[in-house]
């Protein structure tokens, strides 16, 4: 089990498989008290984690699943969390929306499974991978499994955050294929 998975289960007090804001911030307050942070540090950390929670909550239901938490980093490396939003964060969000627009061939605002497979094929071709290897990988269960796992909202399509998640999963599958 990953460090994030262990932390997730510790914070999921009611055991429902989701960590709501109340559970998440109760955990944060306990951690901050044990870490003996100053009021200023606590304020900065809570502000950061409010933004992190909202960005990580891909389906917008005010609760994190383990998949969302692992992808968004909500339970990893608290000691590294003292940072402000940067221009890179803004550029990253803009880039993910631009990527979504590029992959969304039908202009529906989301990426369906067929659009995703087409993009995987195009991306592999850009890297100079041979047609047969592209066909084999694109037909493999790995690509469709990555799509389904990344579809955190369960609506059969990917939003910009889910698209980033699917890309990471597919890249990992390609490396290990």
């Amino acid at each position: 089990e990953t460090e994030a998975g262990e932390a997730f289960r510790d914070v999921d007090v009611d055991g429902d498989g989701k960590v709501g804001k109340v559970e998440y911030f109760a955990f944060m307050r306990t951690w901050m008290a044990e870490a003996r942070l100053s009021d200023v540090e606590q304020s900065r950390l809570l502000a950061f984690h409010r933004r992190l929670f909202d960005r990580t909550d891909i389906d917008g239901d005010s609760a994190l699943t383990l998949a969302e938490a692992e992808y968004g980093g909500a339970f990893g490396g608290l000691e590294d969390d003292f940072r402000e939003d940067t221009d890179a964060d803004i550029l990253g969000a803009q880039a993910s929306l631009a990527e979504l627009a590029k992959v969304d061939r039908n202009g529906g605002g989301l990426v369906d499974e067929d659009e995703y497979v087409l993009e995987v094929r195009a991306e592999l071709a850009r890297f100079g991978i041979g047609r047969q290897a592209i066909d084999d990988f694109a037909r493999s269960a790995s690509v469709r499994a990555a799509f389904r796992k990344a579809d955190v909202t369960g609506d059969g399509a990917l939003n910009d955050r889910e698209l980033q998640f699917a890309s990471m999963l597919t890249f990992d599958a390609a490396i290990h294929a």
Side-chain angles (χ1 to χ4, degrees):
E1 184 172 49
T2 66
E3 180 183 331
E6 289 177 31
F8 182 88
R9 287 179 208 340
D10 290 343
V11 177
D12 182 18
V13 177
D14 61 11
D16 67 352
K18 290 189 169 205
V19 172
K21 284 187 175 184
V22 171
E23 290 170 311
Y24 187 77
F25 288 102
F27 162 77
M28 287 303 305
R29 287 185 181 86
T30 300
W31 181 84
M32 289 185 304
E34 290 172 3
R36 300 179 188 259
L37 301 177
S38 72
D39 289 344
V40 171
E41 290 171 323
Q42 288 184 33
S43 176
R44 285 182 59 215
L45 188 61
L46 283 172
F48 169 78
H49 274 275
R50 279 188 201 97
R51 291 188 305 270
L52 178 63
F53 188 98
D54 290 342
R55 281 193 302 251
T56 302
D57 182 18
I58 294 171
D59 61 7
D61 68 349
S62 296
L64 303 179
T65 63
L66 179 57
E68 288 173 320
E70 285 181 329
Y71 170 63
F75 293 103
L78 288 174
E79 64 278 1
D80 297 329
D81 287 344
F82 286 109
R83 64 174 177 79
E84 298 294 324
D85 281 335
T86 64
D87 291 341
D89 292 329
I90 295 166
L91 291 174
Q94 291 171 342
S96 72
L97 290 172
E99 180 69 15
L100 177 74
K102 180 184 86 171
V103 178
D104 177 22
R105 288 174 169 80
N106 69 9
L110 297 171
V111 173
D112 64 35
E113 194 167 342
D114 291 335
E115 290 172 321
Y116 184 69
V117 171
L118 285 172
E119 179 58 21
V120 167
R121 288 176 169 279
E123 193 66 26
L124 292 173
R126 282 191 284 277
F127 281 104
I129 296 174
R131 179 174 283 293
Q132 185 61 48
I134 290 173
D135 289 345
D136 291 346
F137 185 68
R139 280 194 298 262
S140 76
S142 300
V143 174
R144 300 208 184 262
F147 180 92
R148 287 188 198 96
K149 184 172 183 179
D151 182 18
V152 176
T153 58
D155 61 0
L158 304 178
N159 62 33
D160 62 315
R161 293 181 196 171
E162 291 170 327
L163 179 60
Q164 288 178 327
F165 188 25
S167 295
M168 286 181 357
L169 294 170
T170 302
F171 179 74
D172 188 54
I175 290 172
H176 294 98

